[in-house]
Amino acid sequence: MLRHAFSKILFILVVLLFISASGCIQEKQETPELQPVSDEYYAKMDTVLYPYMQTVDEQMQEITALVWETARELDGVPMDDPAVDLALLKLKSEIPLSFDSGRLDKDNVLRAVTNEQYIEWSVGTYIGENQYTEEELKAAGENCTISPFTLFDNGEQGVMVIAPVYDANGNFDGTLQVALDVGYLFSGPAEELRTKYGYTVWAVQDDGIVIYDEDTQEIGVNLTKPTSAYTPSLNSAIADILANESGQTSYIFYTLDWHDINQTNAVWSTLDPGYGQNWRVVLIDNVPMPRMTSELTVTQDELKAFVTNAYVYARTHEKTEALAAFNDPKGEFIDGELYIFAETLNGTMLSLPYQPALIGTDQWMAEDTTGVKYIQRQIARAEQGGGYVMYLYPNPTQDFATELKLAYVMPIDNEWFIGAGIYEHNTLLAHSTSVDWQKRNELIKQVRTMQYLAEVEGVSAVTDMMMDPNSDIQVEGLYPMAITENGTVLAFARNPDIVGTNQLGRVNSLDISLIREGISLGKEGGGLMYTLLWDSTLNKEIFILVYVVPADDDAYFASFMILE
């Protein structure tokens, strides 16, 4: 084991040394002087920041109110009562930004949780993080307590929303806790800032821990511990932001992997999400935007051939030699926006020539701005033998602006795989780079509500609701469906002709089966994915965003929204 670990470290160091020598990791440039910024310019930024802050604040108020209300419903209910499980599942359905909800006793032992995948090993275990005494919770009054930024056991990261629960005699009986995706709390409405104004945001706790950044590698970083990438003006700006509830500043910032340095102008204010935390929300300019173009520089056939050529190279050379070639910025496996990436089947990055700092890091939980865990989708396709995957990703030839990417992946062996991608310049989604975050939340809420109703009324009752256009689960612009584990469609009102038929082998123009991929995603506990679907009314394929959850041991619920 020790020899294996040493070999892995040595391999990573050799690759990084090779990349540095090749010029992919550039030396820091001379830091320019800050240029003056007018009060009018800062004031304009403020007029954009405050409505954004209000949007985030309203979401948090709604979330904390739901948690507090559910905690009061659980007062006096024994922790082994089945009503607790139903209350937790209902709460999760009402909060699309939640990862999980759980009931802990006063000794911080987990007694109930919504995620079926974790019940067997987590229920009955002591939870060491986010412990609060009865006195600390009482100090919050009738408000939820918000934990510091936390890395959860399942690899997700966010904050806990916590409310006390009392027994029938009014004695403290533990807590109700909801794990919240604080990243999408900010990134959903932040996409509108980018597309409408050319701004974005980052957010930090008042202790310096970054809780949201468009560059996900910055999330969890402690800004009070600067690195060599921090300029003096950035250090000064950080100190100012943490010391004051609001203000304005400018700083010189190194862009992704020190490829460039630019002046960034910022305004900030403070959000009170609940008892125990204050979040500084920083609005910044100098945001890269994709250039409007309809030109496809690389075709899908050329993409597939490019990856196939790299596959042959990897199969006929030693792994270290192949990875060195894939990471060589002047080699045959990189051509503008077309380049080879490589990963292990557990999510460790092996090759990424435009972002070498990520090599050797665990990217299993990486997700795009919509919440699609694209590394996990790549791995799922690789394990099926290879194929196409869609997600939003920074385009290195567009100043790392986010665009829709179509990747093709191939497994090398049972340990690692390779891929490459092209950016879909000729689609509406490519230029807006924004998915309607409110509709996305409605999508998740609809599917989780169906999951909750299945526990209460049964799967067949829910499939009947799906086919009934007047049922309470119907939402305009969303299209629910149910499938069995073997691919038989149980319900789909948008196309009732396929109900009762097996659609496992039905694929789109990218050879992607919506049903097969949905089942794969459901088996992993559920989540979001993009795909193409034939629309007979428009007589063409359309981009859709799909959300899937397990319904029971043999079926899955899903729904989708159209992205164009």
Side-chain angles (χ1 to χ4, degrees), residues 288-449:
M289 297 291 288
R291 295 179 290 276
M292 297 291 286
T293 175
S294 60
E295 180 183 0
L296 268 178
T297 56
V298 181
T299 67
Q300 292 179 18
D301 289 340
E302 290 170 335
L303 167 64
K304 190 173 181 179
F306 184 76
V307 177
T308 301
N309 182 44
Y311 169 83
V312 172
Y313 188 92
R315 294 287 293 179
T316 55
H317 292 75
E318 292 294 328
K319 184 177 181 179
T320 53
E321 184 179 356
L323 290 175
F326 298 156
N327 276 306
D328 181 359
K330 299 179 181 179
E332 61 179 302
F333 296 107
I334 183 169
D335 182 12
E337 68 180 36
L338 193 62
Y339 58 90
I340 291 293
F341 58 81
E343 303 155 16
T344 68
L345 291 174
N346 63 9
T348 300
M349 190 63 65
L350 300 176
S351 170
L352 199 60
Y354 284 114
Q355 295 171 274
L358 297 183
I359 293 174
T361 63
D362 182 359
Q363 295 295 304
W364 173 260
M365 299 302 294
E367 60 183 37
D368 71 6
T369 53
T370 305
V372 172
K373 291 183 169 57
Y374 57 89
I375 298 294
Q376 295 181 25
R377 300 321 309 146
Q378 290 173 357
I379 291 171
R381 286 296 276 168
E383 290 178 335
Q384 294 171 17
Y388 290 102
V389 183
M390 287 189 292
Y391 49 96
L392 298 175
Y393 198 77
N395 185 343
T397 66
Q398 295 267 357
D399 297 323
F400 292 93
T402 300
E403 291 194 279
L404 179 66
K405 187 168 187 175
L406 175 66
Y408 188 81
V409 299
M410 295 182 70
I412 301 302
D413 54 30
N414 60 1
E415 293 183 354
W416 65 296
F417 69 96
I418 61 170
I422 55 177
Y423 292 89
E424 295 285 292
H425 304 297
N426 60 345
T427 69
L428 176 65
L429 186 61
H431 299 309
S432 68
T433 67
S434 179
V435 172
D436 183 335
W437 64 274
Q438 292 169 311
K439 182 61 71 174
R440 177 262 196 195
N441 287 350
E442 287 182 0
L443 173 69
I444 295 175
K445 186 173 182 178
Q446 181 193 50
V447 177
R448 288 183 178 179
T449 297

Side-chain angles (χ1 to χ4, degrees), residues 199-213:
Y199 298 143
T200 190
V201 296
W202 53 274
V204 59
Q205 294 175 168
D206 53 13
D207 63 357
I209 302 298
V210 177
I211 61 174
Y212 172 70
D213 194 295

Side-chain angles (χ1 to χ4, degrees), residues 43-171:
K44 180 183 176 182
M45 294 182 70
D46 275 327
T47 62
V48 176
L49 173 62
Y50 288 119
Y52 173 82
M53 294 276 291
Q54 184 177 7
T55 298
V56 176
D57 185 52
E58 288 173 353
Q59 288 189 84
M60 282 303 300
Q61 288 186 37
E62 180 181 356
I63 290 167
T64 55
L66 286 167
V67 175
W68 189 266
E69 180 183 335
T70 303
R72 302 291 65 81
E73 292 173 358
L74 291 177
D75 286 342
V77 180
M79 279 177 279
D80 58 356
D81 191 315
V84 173
D85 293 321
L86 289 177
L88 295 179
L89 195 59
K90 183 173 183 290
L91 180 61
K92 183 179 178 180
S93 74
E94 294 171 332
I95 305 177
L97 301 183
S98 63
F99 295 124
D100 258 326
S101 59
R103 176 73 167 88
L104 285 77
D105 65 22
K106 58 186 177 182
D107 296 319
N108 233 48
V109 174
L110 184 65
R111 296 302 181 186
V113 68
T114 52
N115 195 320
E116 293 285 341
Q117 292 186 318
Y118 304 119
I119 288 177
E120 184 174 345
W121 64 267
S122 64
V123 171
T125 61
Y126 172 76
I127 307 299
E129 298 85 11
N130 303 318
Q131 296 187 44
Y132 294 89
T133 65
E134 180 181 0
E135 289 71 25
E136 289 173 321
L137 294 170
K138 280 184 177 179
E142 295 187 358
N143 298 296
C144 289
T145 297
I146 308 298
S147 79
F149 185 78
T150 302
L151 178 63
F152 304 121
D153 288 340
N154 64 354
E156 303 281 11
Q157 53 188 10
V159 300
M160 281 290 189
V161 181
I162 305 166
V165 181
Y166 301 94
D167 64 19
N169 297 317
N171 299 314

Side-chain angles (χ1 to χ4, degrees), residues 164-182:
V165 181
Y166 301 94
D167 64 19
N169 297 317
N171 299 314
F172 178 63
D173 196 36
T175 58
L176 169 65
Q177 300 195 14
V178 173
L180 192 67
D181 181 1
V182 71

